[in-house]
Amino acid sequence: MAPPDIEATPCCAPLAEARIPAEASGTLAQAFKALGDPIRLQLMSMIASAPDGEICVCDLTPAFTISSTTISHHLKVLREAGLVDAERRASWVYYRPRPGLMRRLSTLLAVDEPATR
Amino acid sequence: MAPPDIEATPCCAPLAEARIPAEASGTLAQAFKALGDPIRLQLMSMIASAPDGEICVCDLTPAFTISSTTISHHLKVLREAGLVDAERRASWVYYRPRPGLMRRLSTLLAVDEPATR
């Protein structure tokens, strides 16, 4: 399944400012669901903070005590949600973040700092 | 189940800057998972953008074509994740957002704007 081209859709103001359009909620919920697992959140974090802007699956797998098959499944969920891109080079797959969607989710959850009263 | 007191834990830098601590990933993933459903995301949006800072369940239910029992279940998931607070007054329950956790999730997903090169 191709990752959703969510960056092509003009969406969305912060949740605290305006109600999210129902038609946008499916794709955005898919991205949040992808982040809704501790292993996937840690994988996303390793990919997003990779010093070279990308990271080899061979450097992701040893960080966990679960099987490489399970890791691959989690990476596929992140990719299908549109949060990461994957590229095969020689024997390994390399992952990099798709910052556009992360930024969009971040904006959606933005809340003003409380005013001093 | 009481909502997690995530605001008491000093956590976390943006995913793009530092790897998330494994011990923080469970609670944060639970919050993302709660947002990972189109109905819950729309409910969260209605609660977060309520003009009076809170909204009656009697104003949430008519916005959807699903049963009030299902809506109640979704609201419970948001509450258990620490994203909303609920208060019963007379016949109705009123919901309001917990901005601290929303802000924390927003920070976690923050990405710098691309530099002009």
Side-chain angles (χ1 to χ4, degrees):
Chain A
M1 192 172 71
D5 188 12
I6 194 166
E7 288 164 53
T9 324
C11 170
C12 298
L15 293 182
E17 288 178 16
R19 189 173 163 192
I20 193 173
E23 60 275 16
S25 64
T27 311
L28 293 165
Q30 185 189 354
F32 283 126
K33 189 173 180 182
L35 297 170
D37 174 276
I39 300 293
R40 285 201 296 272
L41 193 53
Q42 289 176 69
L43 284 167
M44 186 69 216
S45 159
M46 292 176 76
I47 295 167
S49 65
D52 300 329
E54 65 175 14
I55 187 165
C56 175
V57 68
C58 57
D59 291 319
L60 293 170
T61 311
F64 301 90
T65 54
I66 56 180
S67 73
S68 59
T69 310
T70 306
I71 298 280
S72 291
H73 164 75
H74 284 312
L75 289 167
K76 186 175 173 219
V77 174
L78 290 174
R79 192 164 50 76
E80 288 186 348
L83 285 161
V84 304
D85 273 330
E87 186 187 351
R88 177 174 286 281
R89 293 203 298 273
S91 305
W92 299 110
V93 180
Y94 293 77
Y95 289 88
R96 58 175 160 272
R98 292 183 69 184
L101 181 51
M102 288 179 66
R103 195 177 289 126
R104 189 161 287 198
L105 299 179
S106 176
T107 300
L108 211 58
L109 297 171
V111 185
D112 286 340
E113 288 296 325
T116 312
R117 292 179 223 211
Chain B
M1 193 172 71
D5 188 12
I6 194 166
E7 288 163 55
T9 323
C11 171
C12 298
L15 293 182
E17 288 177 16
R19 190 174 162 188
I20 193 173
E23 59 274 19
S25 64
T27 310
L28 293 166
Q30 185 189 353
F32 283 126
K33 189 174 179 181
L35 296 171
D37 174 276
I39 300 293
R40 286 201 295 274
L41 192 53
Q42 289 177 69
L43 284 167
M44 186 69 217
S45 160
M46 291 176 76
I47 296 166
S49 65
D52 301 329
E54 66 174 14
I55 188 166
C56 175
V57 68
C58 58
D59 291 320
L60 293 171
T61 311
F64 301 90
T65 54
I66 55 180
S67 74
S68 59
T69 310
T70 306
I71 298 280
S72 292
H73 164 75
H74 284 312
L75 289 167
K76 186 174 173 222
V77 174
L78 290 174
R79 192 166 48 77
E80 288 186 349
L83 286 161
V84 304
D85 273 330
E87 186 188 352
R88 178 173 286 280
R89 293 203 298 274
S91 305
W92 298 110
V93 180
Y94 292 78
Y95 288 87
R96 60 175 158 273
R98 292 182 69 185
L101 181 51
M102 287 178 66
R103 194 177 290 125
R104 189 161 288 200
L105 299 178
S106 176
T107 301
L108 210 58
L109 297 171
V111 185
D112 287 340
E113 288 296 324
T116 311
R117 290 179 222 210

